[in-house]
Amino acid sequence: SGPEAKAAVDESFERLAALEAMASSTVETSDASKLKAAAGHSYVKLHPEIYHMLEVSQEYSRLSGGAWDVTAGPLVELWGVGTDHERLPAPEEVEAARRLVSWQQLYLRPEDQSAMLGREGMSVDFGGIAKGMAIDEVRKIYAAHNIRNGLINMGASSLYGMGTNKDGKPWNVGIRHPRNDAKDTYLGIVSLEDMVLSTSGDYERCFFADGKRYHHILDPATGYPADNGAMSDTVVINGSLPDSGMISDLLTTAVFV
């Protein structure tokens, strides 16, 4: 809400389209595709937004002992969960892809904001951080348009509650129950006021093979979907933290793993 609300939203959608073009692994001209093509050979000059996303990724790979790893692209591509080529790969395929996942072999060059993947066949996947980055970018647009109250919703799994709702109260967000789709059935309700919320679960993108559920949250250490009993996790972060959208997004993966 606010006098410039429409302009802020319109500009935000344009910004999201530009970010998608930079980050998507299915866009041939994206930074992600260029990094994959140059893997093991050369550095690639990146957009500042993508370079910063990699910087944050590397810091949290270090802090999480690799539970978060942006170089999981080969595993994501192999499993194809949520796409029309999802399948249960053979153990030797999983092992071959797993050997190409290594955040330690993603090299960043700050002087010209370039990056290189150390081995041929490596690739990055921004699926667990890009929505959070998008929230951070939209927040900048809202601030430039003097927006104080609003809800940024990147498909329910990543949200930012800015200020209050039209009733002057915090934004209430229902956390979906991972095994119950009934209307108005939630694990709980979280109130957001200048806070970002991200959720990861094994229920939105998954398939079944031989009676077992295989989901999209992959454990870089094993090459398989994380299998530790967790079904869902939610991370809430104070919006005053720099990069709060990105961090909340990637932490749901790290915590789940």
Side-chain angles (χ1 to χ4, degrees):
S1 60
E4 298 175 42
K6 185 180 186 307
V9 170
D10 289 347
E11 188 178 327
S12 295
F13 274 109
E14 289 176 14
R15 183 73 174 130
L16 293 180
L19 294 172
E20 169 80 3
M22 294 177 205
S24 174
S25 54
T26 60
V27 176
E28 283 187 18
T29 54
S30 72
D31 286 2
S33 295
K34 290 175 182 175
L35 280 168
K36 182 179 180 178
H41 303 293
S42 56
Y43 277 83
V44 175
K45 181 88 167 72
L46 303 172
H47 289 88
E49 301 89 338
I50 301 298
Y51 185 83
H52 183 54
M53 194 157 49
L54 291 178
E55 280 185 314
V56 173
S57 280
Q58 290 294 77
E59 173 67 1
Y60 279 84
S61 288
R62 185 181 66 79
L63 290 169
S64 68
W68 163 256
D69 194 330
V70 76
T71 72
L75 287 171
V76 173
E77 191 174 337
L78 175 67
W79 284 87
V81 182
T83 72
D84 56 7
H85 61 271
E86 62 188 16
R87 66 186 179 92
L88 177 57
E92 55 269 23
E93 291 180 286
V94 175
E95 181 55 25
R98 189 192 66 80
R99 286 198 295 265
L100 292 170
V101 177
S102 172
W103 64 273
Q104 294 98 332
Q105 293 186 64
L106 168 60
Y107 306 112
L108 302 182
R109 198 164 67 185
E111 57 266 29
D112 63 349
Q113 295 199 320
S114 296
M116 182 175 77
L117 294 164
R119 291 177 60 196
E120 204 168 308
M122 290 182 68
S123 62
V124 295
D125 182 81
F126 293 122
I129 187 173
K131 280 185 181 180
M133 186 263 281
I135 282 178
D136 293 332
E137 292 297 307
V138 170
R139 281 183 63 195
K140 293 174 189 174
I141 293 170
Y142 281 18
H145 286 278
N146 301 305
I147 305 293
R148 290 183 173 80
N149 302 304
L151 183 69
I152 303 168
N153 181 346
M154 296 291 170
S157 62
S158 292
L159 302 101
Y160 186 84
M162 176 178 281
T164 58
N165 63 20
K166 64 181 182 343
D167 299 321
K169 295 178 179 177
W171 299 93
N172 284 335
V173 176
I175 307 299
R176 180 176 159 187
H177 193 294
R179 296 293 183 268
N180 191 337
D181 286 334
K183 193 176 183 298
D184 299 327
T185 300
Y186 302 109
L187 283 182
I189 309 286
V190 180
S191 294
L192 302 180
E193 189 169 350
D194 295 316
M195 290 190 287
V196 61
L197 176 151
S198 292
T199 297
S200 284
D202 68 359
Y203 50 92
E204 287 259 311
R205 287 162 56 197
C206 65
F207 66 91
F208 289 85
D210 300 325
K212 183 175 172 64
R213 179 191 298 265
Y214 294 93
H215 56 80
H216 75 289
I217 307 169
L218 302 171
D219 183 347
T222 66
Y224 285 84
D227 188 14
N228 53 24
M231 298 177 190
S232 172
D233 70 339
T234 295
V235 173
V236 180
I237 294 184
N238 191 304
S240 63
L241 182 75
D243 306 311
S244 57
M246 261 193 278
I247 293 167
S248 70
D249 198 3
L250 70 85
L251 278 183
T252 59
T253 297
V255 169
F256 195 102
V257 169

